[in-house]
Amino acid sequence: MIRYCKHILSVSMVWLASAAPSLAHPIPDIPVVATIEGSGTTTIVVDVDPRCFEADPEAVPYITKGQLDGMGKEAKDKLLGNAREFLEGNIQFSFEPGKWFLPEFEYSFDSRLGVGFEDPEAEATIKATWSSNLTPKTDIYRVRALDTADYVVLCKTAVEGLPRMDVQALFPSEESSEVDLTGIRPNSLWMTVANFFRQGFVHVLPLGLDHILFVLGIFLMAREWKPLLLQVSAFTAAHTLTLGLATLGWVQVPSKPVEVIIAGSICVIALQNVFRPAYSHRRLWIIFSLGLVHGLGFAGALKELELDIESLMAGLIGFNIGVEAGQLAVLTVAWVLTLPFVVPEDYRRMVVIPVSLGISATGGYWVFERIAG
């Protein structure tokens, strides 16, 4: 039985290392913002990240304003055409029951963060914009993510100047709830909490491989409930703090150094398991400090949506609970897989040391990759 479990752990580490370059952090989701006026005037804006057009989006940086200015018309038109094809494979809209279509969007370049676009270093996005005067027969508004969709579609809607609180995250083949244009339905913050709970969970499991490895590094130091609880609590408190501050815009840090430090934190925790195996409270301060950076890594899922404060707080709560649920799932799986190792010396020799070294190697590779990239 021990030999069998050891084989499983070895195979798992090979898989993690091979998957590492592509699963560290997913690129941003597809934000859809609809503004529906009482007069029937409707405007839909969809942000398309140009990195979506690459085979490995995480391997390329954002396009900057300076790079756009240096492009010829043909290259720019190709990017806008790629955005049109991208939306055709990911999203559709409906204003009548059972009828779905993709509007004739106008495509243009704009600042990714919605601020000044004069700085040559400003990061660019492609905005697809559509405006129309709806007919009196139009009585609903709905969005769906196609089964061929590559990314999650995030829907934010305002009707007659009032933002709806049920911000929705649509996975492939899912449809949003109907917005009743003949009479606004009661808004619900619980739907936003539930949708962002799922977002938080998948940002850890399966998409957040770097966060998974960090949590495994915490687990491998000690399986006893008290030191494990203290370490996980320190990590949770830290990343909750910076996730909230960054989402609210009170803390702003460039993403590249954050990603490099997150990768380095994996090395630190894993190597400490090998060379400083005895648990001490000093480790809690290390985990707390590194957890602050991990919270900044999570914040990108919320901070660019420009939500009203109530929806933002509901999304933040749901997302954070989802992250904690994802971490708990990782710890549960790790605990079950290591149950057969009852002798501490065998557990350390056959699990802690080899797995920690594998985690450290993966983190080291990411440090190099993210600095070079």
Side-chain angles (χ1 to χ4, degrees), residues 96-158:
E96 297 180 44
K99 295 184 178 181
W100 295 92
F101 74 108
L102 182 68
E104 292 293 329
F105 286 106
E106 293 184 4
Y107 297 85
S108 61
F109 297 102
D110 202 350
S111 170
R112 184 176 70 89
L113 299 178
V115 294
F117 201 35
E118 297 78 26
D119 185 351
E121 297 301 317
E123 297 167 345
T125 188
I126 297 174
K127 286 195 180 294
T129 306
W130 177 79
S131 294
S132 178
N133 291 316
L134 303 179
T135 67
K137 295 182 179 179
T138 303
D139 57 0
I140 67 166
Y141 166 73
R142 203 169 191 180
V143 184
R144 73 175 175 185
L146 301 178
D147 56 5
T148 55
D150 295 314
Y151 307 104
V152 176
V153 177
L154 297 178
C155 304
K156 175 188 174 186
T157 307

Side-chain angles (χ1 to χ4, degrees), residues 47-68:
D47 270 13
V48 180
D49 186 336
R51 295 180 301 161
C52 297
F53 314 144
E54 303 293 337
D56 184 4
E58 281 299 288
V60 295
Y62 290 105
I63 294 177
T64 65
K65 177 67 162 55
Q67 290 173 320
L68 281 177

Side-chain angles (χ1 to χ4, degrees), residues 226-297:
K226 186 174 181 179
L228 182 58
L229 177 62
L230 289 173
Q231 292 178 86
V232 172
S233 297
F235 182 55
T236 297
H239 73 64
T240 299
L241 175 62
T242 48
L243 171 60
L245 293 176
T247 300
L248 293 171
W250 296 347
V251 173
Q252 295 183 356
V253 180
S255 60
K256 183 172 181 177
V258 168
E259 297 301 325
V260 172
I261 294 173
I262 287 175
S265 72
I266 297 170
C267 295
V268 170
I269 290 300
L271 289 177
Q272 194 176 31
N273 294 339
V274 176
F275 297 107
R276 289 184 175 271
Y279 170 78
S280 69
H281 291 314
R282 181 173 177 271
R283 181 172 165 97
L284 294 181
W285 291 107
I286 296 174
I287 290 175
F288 184 84
S289 301
L290 298 176
L292 293 173
V293 184
H294 280 251
L296 297 173

